[in-house]
Amino acid sequence: MTTDISRRLDAARAAAKDSGIDALLVTPGADLRYLTGFAAMPLERLTCLVLPTEGDPVLVLPRLEVAMAVEAGVEEHGIALVGWEETDDPYAAAHAAAKGARRVAVDDHMWAERVFAFGLAFGDADQVLAGGVLRPLRTRKTPDEIEALREAGAAIDRVHTRMGEWLRPGRTEREVGRDIAEAILAEGHESVEFVIVGSGPNGASPHAEVSDRVIERGDPVVVDIGGVMPSGYCSDSTRTYVAEGSAPADFLAYYEVLRRAQDAQCAYARPGVSAQSVDAVGRDVIAESGYGEAFLHRTGHGIGLETHEEPYIVSGNELALEPGMAFSIEPGIYLEGRHGARIEDIVVTTDDGLERLNLTTRDLVVLD
């Protein structure tokens, strides 16, 4: 039976062969889950998928974790399991499974100690990064992956629609963040990746941590939240709120600029245009209104089995968008010491445009 996983393995094997690579070595992380369906823990004991271009895939893993791999259905995809005992050399087992590979590609996020250990085990074999092989495969999402991202988007949208339950003057950012984290799980996520609640001047820091600052009436509050669904696919959405009352006049002025910039980027993005040109469209709108220096970060990042992955929507990235690419469009304006705002949607390119996966209002929401 051909499965999505087996098709991914075949595609990775073919791409590796085209690149002159004899075997891929993939340790726990998003690449391993993509190729095996197994969310292995990154522990001190070696777990590694060995995918030779000539031969069958093998998952080398601790004997005590074989049952978990079986339960995850790894063998159903034609992957043999080789369990090693505590006194075995797992790197030698991986070398044997690679069938004399002379050029091996290691996953981009492999721990350095493992890269060196594989270097010793494989002798004078050449080592290269596997990103050039795996990145293009993971960047173009299949319909099933897009549906998983839709479900993730809908789940995080449900949390945003409940913001009025928690975000009120007199509460601290930390208290609000704790309630949001509980809701992320309650609305269907398996784990919480991050919760940013940046109120007042803290909203001017794009990656603000929750603090004990007490939210005040009229504060703009940037809420950026995301988690991981049982499917392994991630959510990420930012909305900016006002905690009762009236926001400062200067904030209201630039929020409208931000809204226009994000709308312009979403209207423009489509297959064939470059990632950097999407960034430029929104940046130009913001700069023309006098806030160019206050847009501190790239427009967006890809998303899938990782919250941040290719493609990155940033100046200098000439990559042409293709159907099936999923990424964020999240321009922001940040006035240090005063307040900030960001609007973020996850989108996916279609054949002739894009689909937004976050559907809550992008208007400024004043919570009464």
Side-chain angles (χ1 to χ4, degrees):
M1 178 180 68
T2 301
T3 64
D4 285 341
I5 295 296
S6 60
R7 282 190 287 268
R8 292 175 185 179
L9 290 167
D10 288 343
R13 182 186 288 110
K17 190 171 185 177
D18 288 345
S19 298
I21 293 167
D22 298 322
L24 296 174
L25 304 177
V26 183
T27 51
D31 286 337
L32 183 69
R33 186 163 188 175
Y34 179 81
L35 290 171
T36 67
F38 181 37
M41 291 292 291
L43 302 173
E44 74 280 5
R45 297 180 177 93
L46 178 70
T47 293
C48 181
L49 172 69
V50 182
L51 181 60
T53 54
E54 302 293 342
D56 296 326
V58 173
L59 184 65
V60 176
L61 74 169
R63 177 68 184 84
L64 56 84
E65 295 179 11
V66 168
M68 291 187 291
V70 171
E71 185 177 355
V74 172
E75 293 175 305
E76 298 171 15
H77 311 301
I79 302 170
L81 301 180
V82 174
W84 58 273
E85 304 292 347
E86 295 285 6
T87 56
D88 292 340
D89 180 353
Y91 295 94
H95 180 252
K99 302 185 182 303
R102 303 302 303 156
R103 190 164 189 259
V104 297
V106 300
D107 70 82
D108 286 16
H109 300 298
M110 185 181 289
W111 294 353
E113 65 177 355
R114 296 203 166 134
V115 175
F116 280 96
F118 277 124
L120 292 173
F122 280 74
D124 59 356
D126 292 333
Q127 278 188 338
V128 298
L129 289 173
V133 170
L134 298 178
R135 193 179 303 118
L137 302 181
R138 287 186 49 199
T139 297
R140 296 186 294 269
K141 268 59 178 182
T142 64
D144 286 346
E145 289 181 287
I146 293 169
E147 182 56 31
L149 286 169
R150 280 196 196 99
E151 292 175 359
I156 210 66
D157 279 357
R158 291 193 295 272
V159 179
H160 272 295
T161 62
R162 297 178 56 190
M163 205 57 58
E165 298 177 28
W166 319 298
L167 207 169
R168 297 187 299 276
R171 305 195 75 206
T172 66
E173 294 173 348
R174 195 178 311 280
E175 289 170 336
V176 174
R178 184 170 57 246
D179 290 339
I180 291 172
E182 291 175 358
I184 289 173
L185 298 176
E187 294 295 348
H189 291 80
E190 190 171 66
S191 63
V192 178
E193 283 286 283
F194 54 90
V195 174
I196 294 174
V197 181
S199 65
N202 291 345
S205 175
H207 285 174
E209 298 285 343
V210 293
S211 74
D212 291 322
R213 183 184 185 275
V214 176
I215 298 167
E216 300 177 5
R217 182 177 172 82
D219 270 349
V221 185
V222 179
V223 178
D224 183 357
I225 54 178
V228 181
M229 298 290 283
S231 64
Y233 286 81
C234 301
S235 66
D236 185 3
S237 180
T238 307
R239 294 293 185 260
T240 303
Y241 301 89
V242 175
E244 294 187 10
S246 299
D250 58 345
F251 170 82
L252 295 174
Y254 72 72
Y255 188 86
E256 287 307 309
V257 172
L258 184 63
R259 173 68 190 268
R260 285 195 288 109
Q262 208 251 5
D263 282 344
Q265 290 174 308
C266 289
Y268 171 81
R270 59 177 43 79
V273 306
S274 67
Q276 69 175 358
S277 68
V278 178
D279 179 87
V281 165
R283 202 165 295 276
D284 287 349
V285 171
I286 291 171
E288 288 165 5
S289 298
Y291 297 101
E293 294 299 316
F295 184 2
L296 306 176
H297 53 74
R298 64 194 175 205
T299 283
H301 55 82
I303 191 168
L305 289 170
E306 295 174 285
T307 306
H308 286 195
E309 58 183 49
E310 294 282 355
Y312 292 101
I313 311 303
V314 64
S315 177
N317 187 359
E318 299 179 353
L319 177 73
L321 301 183
E322 299 179 35
M325 288 183 173
F327 51 91
S328 67
I329 293 184
E330 51 175 305
I333 296 175
Y334 311 93
L335 303 187
E336 186 175 357
R338 293 154 70 185
H339 33 60
R342 182 162 65 255
I343 303 171
E344 176 185 17
D345 291 320
I346 300 303
V347 304
V348 60
T349 46
T350 62
D351 289 338
D352 56 3
L354 61 76
E355 175 189 353
R356 294 193 206 229
L357 303 187
N358 296 113
L359 304 178
T360 59
T361 182
R362 291 155 208 97
D363 293 335
L364 183 63
V365 175
V366 179
L367 299 170
D368 297 323

